[in-house]
Amino acid sequence: MRLLARRAYTAMEMDKALERAGVPEGERAEAVARLRELGYMDDLEVARARARTLLGRGAAPRLAERRLGEQGAEAAQASAAVGEAAEGATEAELLDRALRKMLRGRPPAGDKERRRAFRALVAKGHRPAQVARALGMRWDGDDE
């Protein structure tokens, strides 16, 4: 309960936290099952909240889905949560939002800022060709 007082956990994260605390495997499984039964843990709700945060910070949907999966959300839950958080926006629209937020609504001040924005957005999982197009840059590389 002390763990849940700090933040929401997926079942996988809770199991790992209890393992680090030295709780035996059988007791961990019982604890996680009981927490779910009581409604204190819901992987889908955790995924929804984290998807909103990730997309709000400019992450691409594919990166958000991968991160949610790494944190214990099932693939279907991660996909649904990201789709819900995107509110029907396309990948290009989400990229545009992230770029506007990063540059505070103004165009890039020069090539140096354009390159910095490019690197930052690609690191957030956006496709390089789309980022280059949005920034008015030439891109001949691979999108993966």
Side-chain angles (χ1 to χ4, degrees):
M1 294 304 284
R2 280 183 275 144
L3 291 171
L4 287 173
R6 285 186 268 165
R7 70 174 182 93
Y9 285 80
T10 63
M12 182 182 86
E13 291 173 324
M14 179 58 74
D15 185 62
K16 286 182 180 180
L18 292 172
E19 182 180 22
R20 282 190 303 272
V23 178
E25 186 176 343
E27 290 178 31
R28 289 194 321 259
E30 286 177 29
V32 169
R34 183 68 176 146
L35 289 169
R36 280 185 155 169
E37 178 186 321
L38 294 171
Y40 292 134
M41 282 181 27
D42 183 348
D43 288 358
L44 182 56
E45 281 304 313
V46 171
R48 285 178 177 148
R50 291 182 183 171
R52 282 190 302 272
T53 299
L54 287 166
L55 293 183
R57 291 180 179 168
R62 63 191 187 141
L63 176 66
E65 283 184 32
R66 188 173 71 235
R67 291 255 170 91
L68 294 174
E70 291 167 357
Q71 294 172 352
E74 295 174 10
Q77 289 176 330
S79 182
V82 169
E84 201 175 290
E87 298 173 340
T90 65
E91 236 180 285
E93 291 169 334
L94 292 171
L95 169 61
D96 187 51
R97 284 183 203 167
L99 183 58
R100 277 196 320 263
K101 184 177 179 180
M102 179 181 290
L103 297 174
R104 297 182 184 103
R106 61 176 173 68
D111 285 341
K112 184 177 179 180
E113 187 172 43
R114 201 174 263 111
R115 287 190 305 271
R116 184 183 57 78
F118 178 85
R119 285 190 307 271
L121 290 168
V122 169
K124 289 179 182 253
H126 294 282
R127 298 181 192 280
Q130 285 183 329
V131 175
R133 192 172 28 259
L135 288 167
M137 298 171 68
R138 191 168 157 251
W139 176 257
D140 295 326
D142 187 17
D143 247 1
E144 297 302 318

